[in-house]
Amino acid sequence: FFFQRIRRPPRSTQSRSSAASDVYKRQIFADIQSFDFKKLALEQQKVGGRLFDVIMMDPPWQLSSSQPSRGVAIAYDSLADDLISKMPINLLQTDGFIFIWAINAKYAIACKLIEYWGYTLVDEITWVKKTVNGKIAKGHGFYLQHAKESCLVGVKGKIDHKFNKNIACDVIFSERRGQSQKPEEIYEL
């Protein structure tokens, strides 16, 4: 999980480079079944004076096929959809964005989770994966070989004063990295 609080100067003095340098990120790698979300929210309130502006998550989706990993060795335990849905996202954010990475088989579930957690689905970012040679990197899929990954974007509350609109593209062309690692460009949006 990736949580972010943004502090920006007034729009008249803000440039893209200054906005990017004034971002506070906190990445968390934890077992969400035992993680203390309430403690994280209280700590964020104490340190930042408010909850998170951005939540980015890459859920450990559990596939329902007879070979859920399709021969790919994964370095983490996957979770059923109902366990992911029980995450208390409402404790971490009242106004802001949620970005959820969704594999093709869980796209519809991810859309439902965004609504269930109180967000409105507003956009999607597509990551087209490339090899080190710049070619499209084909991966595992059930029906087709997947060469892209989707990140759904949801919003809730009052956010207009927190970000600049229409400054980023919804397609990222970037090299495939290690297992489950997302492109660095996603953090520059």
Side-chain angles (χ1 to χ4, degrees):
F1 293 90
F2 167 81
F3 304 98
Q4 180 172 319
R5 184 173 81 80
I6 304 170
R7 184 182 68 195
R8 296 192 172 165
R11 287 185 191 269
S12 61
T13 62
Q14 181 179 14
S15 70
R16 179 140 169 79
S17 60
S18 69
S21 65
D22 208 10
V23 172
Y24 303 92
K25 299 176 187 177
R26 180 183 284 183
Q27 286 186 311
I28 297 173
F29 301 96
D31 181 347
I32 64 168
Q33 295 179 94
S34 59
F35 187 75
D36 190 345
F37 287 92
K38 189 172 185 175
K39 183 178 178 182
L40 174 65
L42 291 171
E43 182 66 20
Q44 173 59 29
Q45 284 278 24
K46 181 177 145 188
V47 172
R50 65 177 194 253
L51 296 174
F52 294 98
D53 294 320
V54 175
I55 296 172
M56 182 174 296
M57 56 192 298
D58 183 17
W61 302 109
Q62 184 177 67
L63 299 176
S64 59
S65 66
S66 61
Q67 293 182 316
S69 66
R70 300 174 313 275
V72 177
I74 56 176
Y76 54 85
D77 293 329
S78 57
L79 291 176
D81 301 339
D82 64 320
L83 292 174
I84 294 170
S85 73
K86 290 178 182 174
M87 292 177 55
I89 298 300
N90 62 313
L91 293 177
L92 304 175
Q93 187 176 65
T94 54
D95 301 299
F97 293 93
I98 190 165
F99 291 74
I100 302 178
W101 287 97
I103 59 175
N104 286 7
K106 296 296 182 173
Y107 191 95
I109 298 292
C111 290
K112 289 178 184 175
L113 285 175
I114 286 175
E115 289 183 14
Y116 175 74
W117 286 325
Y119 295 83
T120 300
L121 179 64
V122 293
D123 222 324
E124 173 185 347
I125 299 164
T126 301
W127 171 28
V128 179
K129 300 177 183 182
K130 298 187 318 183
T131 66
V132 294
N133 299 324
K135 297 183 180 193
I136 291 180
K138 298 174 188 167
H140 294 275
F142 191 77
Y143 294 104
L144 302 171
Q145 291 182 337
H146 297 163
K148 63 125 179 126
E149 205 166 327
S150 299
C151 183
L152 303 176
V153 182
V155 67
K156 78 172 175 179
K158 299 174 185 172
I159 50 92
D160 284 340
H161 65 286
K162 293 184 181 181
F163 76 104
N164 294 326
K165 296 179 183 176
N166 299 317
I167 61 169
C169 183
D170 65 349
V171 178
I172 296 171
F173 291 94
S174 181
E175 246 180 65
R176 177 176 55 190
R177 300 172 60 213
Q179 181 186 24
S180 294
Q181 288 184 321
K182 303 308 177 208
E184 287 295 321
E185 293 86 344
I186 193 77
Y187 303 109
E188 297 170 6
L189 298 177

